[in-house]
Amino acid sequence: MKAQAPTAYGHGLSSQARNLHWLLTNLVDEVPGVHSVAVVSSDGLLLLSSDPERAEATPVHTGDDEGPRGSSADLATIVSGLGSLTNGAAKLMDGGAVKQTMVAMDEGSLFVMSISDGSLLGVHATPDCDMSVIAYHMALFVGRAGHVLTPELRTELRKSMENVQ
């Protein structure tokens, strides 16, 4: 199941917020194997989602064997937790800043990339995805989004996600 582009929300937003929605849509539409995408603030709140209608938590076992189980909020929680864990590990190991984390599973892949303001970009993909293509498109998103994620824009995006639920 291909992730859905965020078309149901975005009206009445600033041009920077609409631009981020467009960048997320591009990431979802152009990269084969992507199930879902989430941008999470440094405090763990969902800012953008490839599937905003599923931003509310749903049971993990939905009986739907196609695509990711759970919701956008679940992906945001996982991305935030994994980001926190890897940042803690990097500090303990004197490894510097964490740039990207990749988890390969039997039935999928999870990628987490840091955005300059402490926010995180998370992608849940198929197990047979081309990791280099996903990493490349994530880096493009981060490069374009990192400089515009101001506190004001993060607040606007959080409010837009709340209005979808």
Side-chain angles (χ1 to χ4, degrees), residues 70-137:
S71 68
S72 303
D74 294 336
L75 179 59
T77 300
I78 293 164
V79 167
S80 179
L82 188 58
S84 179
L85 179 65
T86 55
N87 282 330
K91 285 180 185 174
L92 286 172
M93 296 177 188
D94 293 324
V98 177
K99 296 177 183 178
Q100 183 176 10
T101 304
M102 199 283 287
V103 179
M105 302 169 280
D106 286 342
E107 301 299 323
S109 300
L110 176 64
F111 303 84
V112 178
M113 190 173 284
S114 297
I115 300 176
S116 64
D117 71 331
S119 297
L120 300 167
L121 171 64
V123 173
H124 177 213
T126 61
D128 61 343
C129 67
D130 187 332
M131 293 179 201
S132 62
V133 170
I134 289 182
Y136 172 76
H137 282 274

Side-chain angles (χ1 to χ4, degrees), residues 22-80:
W22 180 83
L23 289 172
L24 186 70
T25 300
N26 256 7
L27 177 63
V28 170
D29 290 345
E30 292 183 12
V31 183
V34 171
H35 281 308
S36 57
V37 180
V39 176
V40 182
S41 67
S42 59
D43 53 358
L45 297 174
L46 182 62
L47 298 178
L48 286 171
S49 169
S50 62
D51 195 2
E53 287 78 24
R54 293 182 64 206
E56 282 188 34
T58 58
V60 173
H61 299 290
T62 61
D64 177 8
D65 290 332
E66 300 215 8
R69 294 185 175 106
S71 68
S72 303
D74 294 336
L75 179 59
T77 300
I78 293 164
V79 167
S80 179

Side-chain angles (χ1 to χ4, degrees), residues 9-23 47-48 145 148-161 163:
Y9 66 116
H11 300 289
L13 296 177
S14 68
S15 62
Q16 288 181 328
R18 286 192 312 273
N19 186 39
L20 285 180
H21 285 282
W22 180 83
L23 289 172
L47 298 178
L48 286 171
V148 298
L149 272 174
T150 62
E152 295 81 17
L153 184 56
R154 286 192 303 271
T155 299
E156 179 183 359
L157 292 169
R158 272 194 294 259
K159 286 180 181 177
S160 74
M161 288 303 299
N163 292 336

